[in-house]
Amino acid sequence: MSREASAFEAQFEVLDATEADRVTARYAPLAEAVRALIDATIRTDADGEVIAAARGAIEDVTEMLRRRARPAGVSFRVDGRPLPLSNAVVGPCNPIAPPLTVQHEEGGRCWSEFVLGLAYEGPPGLVHGGVSALVLDHMLGEAASEGLCKARFTGTISVKYVRGTPLGPLRCDAWVDRTEGVKVFAKGTISDAQGVTVEAEGVFIEPAWARETG
């Protein structure tokens, strides 16, 4: 195994299915509570006294949680598959993730239905364009990497904004368009109830060390 492959694998802590369920059940509700806190922080019109009290309570909780922390960059693997608890798009234990739950189908297709609230706003009432690109980059990567099971990383991605994407319920679809050697070409869309709002296409590349170990 090459040095690059060893470094990549070293980032993963292997768990069995029972332990993975336990870890998720412990930390995911905390992340969901923080998501609610983020939304409340954006929306609040509380007076100064309430804000000061809330800030003090949050700082106390933050210090309590920091007393025991995992090293940065460590993730988990279960039965040979990644368990992306801290991923910025699908991580159930990451408060900045919506999070998306990705459904995979045959033929390299995947999709997710999700909700983006005020934490993801760009123009008033609309999703920030960078957030749309983030979601599409991940979803195209899910398709290209066979559900994150193959080491295939974003080479290039282009995004076309068809119209504003409203905050609220959305759907993202992604699929493999074709494969050429070590390159996988994927496409995808984000849609609301009225149709497509954003389109994307990208090239995902299998790194040299993965070809050597494959």
Side-chain angles (χ1 to χ4, degrees):
M1 182 180 291
S2 69
R3 181 180 301 176
E4 292 85 354
S6 298
F8 182 76
E9 291 297 328
Q11 299 175 36
F12 292 97
E13 179 180 338
V14 178
L15 304 176
D16 61 30
T18 300
E19 181 67 5
D21 289 343
R22 185 190 66 80
V23 169
T24 303
R26 173 184 291 179
Y27 298 114
L30 173 63
E32 187 59 35
V34 177
R35 289 187 193 101
L37 174 62
I38 291 171
D39 186 76
T41 300
I42 295 170
R43 294 174 180 272
T44 189
D45 193 29
D47 60 29
E49 184 177 350
V50 171
I51 295 299
R55 176 182 173 183
I58 292 167
E59 290 174 345
D60 288 344
V61 170
T62 300
E63 180 59 31
M64 179 175 63
L65 294 174
R66 280 179 172 164
R67 291 171 190 165
R68 183 173 175 179
R70 290 192 302 271
V74 175
S75 191
F76 303 99
R77 189 180 291 276
V78 181
D79 295 330
R81 297 175 63 88
L83 181 67
L85 298 180
S86 60
N87 184 278
V89 178
V90 298
C93 299
N94 185 344
I96 72 168
L100 274 65
T101 299
V102 183
Q103 308 295 331
H104 286 270
E105 299 177 347
E106 294 182 359
R109 298 188 69 93
C110 62
W111 59 272
S112 180
E113 293 180 344
F114 55 99
V115 176
L116 294 181
L118 279 176
Y120 308 99
E121 186 177 60
L126 300 176
V127 176
H128 192 293
V131 173
S132 296
L134 173 69
V135 169
L136 282 161
D137 183 34
H138 182 89
M139 289 292 290
L140 268 62
E142 286 263 1
S145 66
E146 301 177 25
L148 307 182
C149 289
K150 301 288 186 179
R152 292 167 183 161
F153 303 123
T154 309
T156 60
I157 187 168
S158 60
V159 180
K160 178 182 179 181
Y161 298 93
V162 180
R163 59 185 172 87
T165 302
L167 297 172
L170 298 166
R171 175 179 171 118
C172 187
D173 291 90
W175 59 92
V176 172
D177 183 56
R178 68 188 189 279
T179 301
E180 296 179 3
V182 298
K183 297 181 179 180
V184 179
F185 296 78
K187 295 184 177 182
T189 61
I190 292 176
S191 305
D192 65 1
Q194 281 68 54
V196 172
T197 63
V198 190
E199 301 173 345
E201 55 184 46
V203 181
F204 295 79
I205 302 171
E206 186 174 324
W209 58 260
R211 300 169 221 164
E212 296 167 1
T213 59

